[in-house]
Structures are given as C-alpha cells and as structure tokens.
Amino acid sequence: MAGESETASWRSELAKVDVWYASFGSNMWKPRFLCYIQGGQAAGMKKACVGAMDKTPPKETTWRTFPNRLFFGRESTVTWGKGGSAFLNPLTSPSDQSHMCFYRITLEQFNDVLFQENGMKVDSETPLFDLSALQLVQNNGSIPLAKSGWYGNVVCVGKESGIPILTMTCTLSVLEKFISGEVPLRPPAKAYANSLVMGLVEGGRLSEEEAWAYIDNAASKPL
C-alpha cells in the first residue's frame, strides 16, 4: 500500500504543473501522439501503447521551428519495424531548422510519455522527471535522465506563454556515437516517415511534397 500512496503523491503533485511537450518525430501527428496519452495504436504502428494514467487530451497545440538538426538513427523500432527513429541534435546550429509540434500537457503526463518513449512501465513509484528537474532543465538547457532508453535527455528549448517547452532526445554521449558510426544512422521506415509527413501536412506546416523532401533531407544529410 505504501507504494500506491507514494505513486499517487508524485502524480497529484505533477498533475498541477503544465509543460509544453515538443515533438519532432511521429508525435507531430496528433492521432499518433494521443496513443501515448489515451492508449491504442495509429495507422502503420505494429504495437499498441498503454497510454498515460491521465488520459485527458492536450489543452492546446501549437507549432514552431528551432535551429536543431533532425536525424534518424538505430536499426529498427518495436513500434514501426525496420528503419531509423527520429532524434534531435540537442545542440543548436544556425544552419539547421526543425519543425516541432507542441502539446500543452501536465508534467505527470509528460512523465508517462517519457516512460513509454524509453520502453518503461508507466506505473512507477517515482517520476523520471520531477519538479526539481524541471527547474534544473530551465537553468541548464538539458538534463540526462538517471535511467532511460533511447530518449534519455530532456531538453528545454524555451518557453511559450511562460510555460517551459520540453522535448526528449538522445544524450550528447550517444550523439557522438551516431557521429562516429558506432551507433548507425538509418532512414526511417515508410510507415513511420508517413506519420511525420501527416503531422506536418495536417498541422499546416508543409505541403505533402515539401514534407517528404524535409524527411528525405534529414535522413540523408551526414551529421
């Protein structure tokens, strides 16, 4: 029972705080992102998501571009099959531009997205990213998580309406492995790339032709 009350305690605390979760990958497509919140699977997905404990949809959605490089790496994913997964270079560069869709959700929901992105169970007695981490990431720009999978680096890319904008990507040490070739760069699976395209098109950011060119460029340009 102690575990249950501890879990309820961190969840009720973080449910009071809003953040923007900024997506640069398949979560730009809202039906796919809602799988992480409400459970289920969208077109092209090979595996269903459990969803967040709080299944309330995002309060708001908006878009912006950032001077960070989008790229695709690793051999395959459980959700989409063979092909690379989207990552964002946590370091900015004036020559790079990436489209990002922001969802306004609670910090509790952000933790549940983090758990799922990193292949972890959502019914944890402790959060991956608490209030002190939220303060720290705003000061430092990024924080590597103590335990995680592929998306073990939470990055604060700024604020919108006074609310921190958070995204998740690889750590700088893994980025070095992508650059050296120790961890492979791979173009995305067609179904996975299609989810990014649908997000960009339905979000009114790019035409379908422009969206495919954007993905192809990110997948083919060396790091």
Side-chain angles (χ1 to χ4, degrees):
M1 287 301 292
E4 285 180 26
S5 60
E6 284 162 22
T7 299
S9 166
W10 79 256
R11 286 188 173 279
S12 58
E13 182 182 41
L14 302 194
K16 297 171 189 164
V17 179
D18 277 4
V19 295
W20 293 99
Y21 161 57
S23 167
F24 48 83
S26 61
N27 288 333
M28 291 190 293
W29 186 36
K30 194 171 183 180
R32 191 275 173 267
F33 176 63
L34 287 176
C35 297
Y36 274 147
I37 300 296
Q38 299 175 335
Q41 62 194 106
M45 291 170 62
K46 296 179 182 294
K47 183 175 180 285
C49 298
V50 294
M53 293 287 192
D54 174 5
K55 301 192 185 305
T56 310
K59 300 178 180 80
E60 294 178 70
T61 307
T62 189
W63 289 80
R64 265 167 62 187
T65 53
F66 284 91
N68 298 75
R69 168 71 197 281
L70 172 71
F71 65 95
F72 298 91
R74 301 203 179 256
E75 299 279 3
S76 64
T77 66
V78 173
T79 307
W80 302 97
K82 197 169 172 57
S85 190
F87 293 93
L88 196 75
N89 186 333
L91 305 174
T92 60
S93 164
S95 61
D96 290 317
Q97 285 289 312
S98 290
H99 295 274
M100 294 173 80
C101 180
F102 304 177
Y103 299 100
R104 187 172 169 178
I105 58 176
T106 69
L107 190 53
E108 179 202 0
Q109 289 176 311
F110 180 76
N111 270 275
D112 284 348
V113 175
L114 259 184
F115 285 131
Q116 292 173 87
E117 282 281 24
N118 284 292
M120 300 160 78
K121 289 184 168 18
V122 297
D123 58 350
S124 170
E125 290 186 8
T126 54
L128 276 175
F129 193 82
D130 61 13
L131 289 172
S132 60
L134 180 62
Q135 191 56 55
L136 202 59
V137 80
Q138 291 176 77
N139 298 335
N140 295 4
S142 67
I143 292 187
L145 302 173
K147 51 178 183 177
S148 67
W150 291 358
Y151 293 89
N153 191 15
V154 175
V155 180
C156 181
V157 294
K159 285 190 172 184
E160 176 81 17
S161 308
I163 297 166
I165 305 161
L166 306 177
T167 192
M168 55 191 82
T169 186
C170 61
T171 60
L172 288 173
S173 59
V174 174
L175 177 69
E176 289 301 323
K177 291 178 180 177
F178 278 124
I179 292 169
S180 72
E182 186 181 334
V183 180
L185 295 174
R186 292 285 183 271
K190 185 71 190 273
Y192 179 60
N194 196 50
S195 69
L196 276 76
V197 167
M198 287 195 285
L200 290 161
V201 173
E202 289 175 16
R205 299 301 283 180
L206 299 172
S207 69
E208 190 171 344
E209 188 180 352
E210 289 167 337
W212 280 110
Y214 171 73
I215 302 302
D216 290 342
N217 181 56
S220 58
K221 202 166 75 169
L223 268 178

